[in-house]
Amino acid sequence: MENNTNIIELKGITKVYEDGYTAVDDFNLEVKRGEFVTLLGPSGCGKTTTLRMIAGFLMPSSGEILLNGKSIQDLPPYKRPVNTVFQRYALFPHMNIYNNIAFGLKQKKTPKDVIERKVRRVLDLVDLEGFEQRSVSTLSGGQQQRIAIARALVNEPEILLLDEPLGALDLKMRKEMQIELKNMHDKLGITFIYVTHDQEEALTMSDKIVVMNEGKIQQIGTPEDIYNEPKNAFVADFIGESNIFNGMMTGKLRARFCGGEFTCVDDYEEGTHITAVVRPEDVELTKPENGVIQGVVDSVIFKGIHYEITVLSGKNEIVCQSVHVAKPGDKVGIRVEPDNIHIMLAEDHTNLFFADINKDYRLEYNDHVLDTSVTKIIKGSSRREDGTVQDASGEAIDPVRMRIQVAIKPDDIEMTDDQNAGLINGTISNLIYKGDHYSYIIHTELEQDFVVNDEYLWNMGDRVGLMMPVDKMTFTLKKK
């Protein structure tokens, strides 16, 4: 059934709530008729908001949603050829299975014989034929979820939206339902748009995965593309397990990271700062003298089909998967085949924020006065006799119309558990291990995200203060 026709197009979709929070930012996606597309990302990344905008439960702040090439901005949910299955099944406890499934058709005044035919068809599809008169309260979680799916399918939607539909099931039932959902999709040939934070679920079922973070698309691709060719460190870390290292290109198809020089298949100019990604299953342990780098086994965990072995090499921590056991304290070498090293350009995580200029021509941010002044940070600026400040060209610097853009690098910010210390405080919303340090995203009270590098492990959700020394900042004068 799948073809090359777009059934849904989202063009520049942005959703900003009344409090100023941007849930979805410039989202662009094409969904082919018959595709199984998964929106994948951590909690709060905007995936459910996007789904609700497709369903019509939320209106985008800007952008356009097209169905079969035509805008559906003004169509209410009940007029869209879309049905939604939620994590909480929302079944009617006072109705039996038949009446739960038939509810939508009865609301549309569908003839009884048509309702009968359609309900029996979807009951067969979800493997619950013969259960029509059972009370929904007697069903297991997996059976209730099948009824919720049947209730959506009986309306014969062009698109089925599924918002974490397996989240309430136990692990075994979730895996069984993944296979059943994929089989249903293959049988029906309709378009599925699926929301989950479970990477395995996305990789198992999808034709196309849309990885999201902080309201933005990080990468769109097939499961194989997303896993084998991640576009950035977030995708590499979020999809499966990864070793992620900072490094530099040292020559043609040569990269230095983790204390050694490795041959790779990605070519960048010599001297380019890069991020190297190596999956644990691609790390080969050898005798120390045969490795590109050497290290000491720090821990060994038996995972059933393999051992997960952590090796320390200098400040770097390397995780590998092997069918051969090792012992903590063993000295080992490490090799990686060139085509198993994924090289990406290093991301510039310089933090940018704006500080206001007060009447004394000092800088203020988040009600804190920075220990500096405009004349110290703007080259060529000077005080006039009347106390105002002019730039190098002699033009007055107006605190009302101008402000200062501040830049500070992740290595130059210090986290503290004293929330009253520093310029601002916030919550750790994401972390990625980079071999010899952790890269954290701190979501602050001003809805500003800061990237901070720290060698110590903090926990997701920790509240921290951010200490930012003025001598590590750079400043640019900007007009408001």
Side-chain angles (χ1 to χ4, degrees):
M1 289 284 290
E2 186 178 337
N3 59 36
N4 293 320
T5 306
N6 290 333
I7 187 168
I8 279 279
E9 295 174 67
L10 288 81
K11 296 187 173 183
I13 295 296
T14 296
K15 179 61 180 178
V16 182
Y17 287 100
E18 289 182 3
D19 62 2
Y21 176 66
T22 302
V24 176
D25 189 4
D26 192 24
F27 189 99
N28 294 278
L29 177 66
E30 294 180 352
V31 179
K32 306 291 184 194
R33 186 174 299 280
E35 265 191 318
F36 195 128
V37 175
T38 297
L39 308 183
L40 173 67
S43 297
C45 74
K47 52 190 187 293
T48 292
T49 299
T50 303
L51 201 76
R52 289 176 65 82
M53 286 190 284
I54 295 171
F57 301 138
L58 287 175
M59 291 298 292
S61 304
S62 61
E64 191 175 24
I65 300 176
L66 304 179
L67 174 71
N68 295 319
K70 296 180 181 178
S71 174
I72 56 171
Q73 300 292 94
D74 300 324
L75 276 185
Y78 66 89
K79 287 192 175 179
R80 300 187 184 198
V82 169
N83 271 80
T84 306
V85 179
F86 300 99
Q87 180 175 340
R88 301 298 173 190
Y89 319 129
L91 300 176
F92 302 114
H94 62 285
M95 294 183 186
N96 62 21
I97 289 174
Y98 183 94
N99 288 327
N100 261 280
I101 296 173
F103 181 80
L105 297 177
K106 289 179 178 179
Q107 293 294 103
K108 296 177 184 177
K109 304 289 194 290
T110 306
K112 269 190 174 183
D113 62 324
V114 176
I115 293 176
E116 178 85 14
R117 187 175 70 252
K118 289 187 174 185
V119 170
R120 293 197 180 281
R121 176 176 173 265
V122 295
L123 278 169
D124 180 60
L125 188 67
V126 299
D127 200 24
L128 284 173
E129 64 276 15
F131 280 60
E132 294 90 328
Q133 303 307 314
R134 290 271 296 272
S135 167
V136 294
S137 62
T138 66
L139 303 180
S140 68
Q143 290 171 328
Q144 289 187 31
Q145 184 57 284
R146 290 185 206 178
I147 297 304
I149 292 167
R151 187 173 60 184
L153 292 176
V154 81
N155 294 301
E156 298 176 349
E158 289 187 54
I159 302 167
L160 186 65
L161 306 178
L162 301 108
D163 188 5
E164 306 235 22
L166 310 184
L169 305 180
D170 63 44
L171 180 61
K172 184 172 183 292
M173 181 60 70
R174 197 159 67 237
K175 289 183 178 296
E176 289 176 3
M177 283 300 296
Q178 286 173 16
I179 296 167
E180 290 195 27
L181 270 176
K182 184 60 179 169
N183 289 338
M184 282 183 215
H185 173 260
D186 293 342
K187 285 181 186 176
L188 291 164
I190 65 174
T191 306
F192 279 29
I193 302 179
Y194 192 95
V195 159
T196 185
H197 63 272
D198 188 309
Q199 305 93 323
E200 183 186 353
E201 211 163 85
L203 293 168
T204 299
M205 297 191 292
S206 313
D207 298 320
K208 182 159 68 185
I209 297 174
V210 182
V211 184
M212 299 179 64
N213 189 37
E214 303 287 338
K216 294 184 177 180
I217 293 175
Q218 302 296 310
Q219 186 171 351
I220 300 174
T222 65
E224 292 83 0
D225 290 339
I226 298 290
Y227 188 85
N228 294 321
E229 297 291 331
K231 287 284 177 66
N232 56 38
F234 172 81
V235 177
D237 184 67
F238 192 75
I239 306 294
E241 295 181 55
S242 295
N243 294 291
I244 303 174
F245 307 107
N246 292 326
M248 181 180 290
M249 297 301 293
T250 54
K252 186 170 180 61
L253 303 179
R254 300 285 293 173
R256 183 172 183 81
F257 59 89
C258 208
E261 192 175 44
F262 292 81
T263 301
C264 55
V265 295
D266 298 304
D267 197 16
Y268 292 101
E269 186 178 348
E270 185 176 345
T272 301
H273 288 274
I274 54 95
T275 297
V277 177
V278 180
R279 298 288 185 183
E281 63 267 27
D282 294 327
V283 177
E284 182 185 351
L285 296 184
T286 68
K287 294 180 179 178
E289 62 271 18
N290 294 336
V292 174
I293 59 174
Q294 289 73 42
V296 177
V297 173
D298 183 58
S299 68
V300 180
I301 302 172
F302 181 58
K303 290 292 187 90
I305 58 173
H306 63 259
Y307 295 93
E308 183 176 279
I309 301 170
T310 302
V311 177
L312 298 181
S313 178
K315 284 188 174 182
N316 292 288
E317 182 180 284
I318 304 123
V319 178
C320 72
Q321 294 173 357
S322 175
V323 295
H324 303 292
V325 69
K327 299 191 302 294
D330 284 354
K331 293 182 179 179
V332 295
I334 286 178
R335 285 196 315 219
V336 185
E337 290 296 318
D339 56 359
N340 289 329
I341 300 171
H342 182 56
I343 301 292
M344 303 177 290
L345 289 173
E347 299 169 61
D348 181 8
H349 284 310
T350 299
N351 297 287
L352 300 174
F353 61 95
F354 284 99
D356 291 317
I357 305 170
N358 67 18
K359 58 184 177 58
D360 298 320
Y361 291 92
R362 303 187 74 80
L363 305 192
E364 287 188 5
Y365 177 70
N366 191 34
D367 296 328
H368 290 272
V369 178
L370 277 64
D371 186 22
T372 190
S373 65
V374 172
T375 53
K376 285 183 180 178
I377 62 176
I378 301 300
K379 189 174 181 179
S381 63
S382 59
R383 283 262 183 187
R384 293 171 169 172
E385 289 184 5
D386 62 2
T388 60
V389 173
Q390 64 183 17
D391 63 19
S393 67
E395 183 180 350
I397 294 176
D398 184 352
V400 176
R401 295 189 303 108
M402 295 181 176
R403 55 184 177 170
I404 301 293
Q405 185 180 66
V406 183
I408 185 167
K409 293 195 174 294
D411 289 333
D412 295 328
I413 300 177
E414 181 183 345
M415 292 193 293
T416 171
D417 55 12
D418 181 358
Q419 295 180 45
N420 296 316
L423 283 182
I424 197 166
N425 62 57
T427 304
I428 295 176
S429 64
N430 194 40
L431 65 91
I432 299 174
Y433 188 60
K434 290 290 193 76
D436 62 351
H437 71 274
Y438 296 87
S439 179
Y440 295 92
I441 294 178
I442 316 300
H443 190 67
T444 66
E445 56 204 17
L446 297 182
E447 302 298 337
Q448 163 89 41
D449 287 337
F450 285 87
V451 180
V452 181
N453 293 337
D454 195 318
E455 63 179 301
Y456 298 107
L457 175 61
W458 297 71
N459 296 315
M460 292 281 285
D462 280 354
R463 296 284 299 175
V464 295
L466 300 182
M467 316 257 303
M468 300 185 228
V470 171
D471 62 353
K472 297 292 186 181
M473 297 176 178
T474 56
F475 306 91
T476 308
L477 185 65
K478 298 278 187 179
K479 289 185 178 179
K480 288 185 181 177

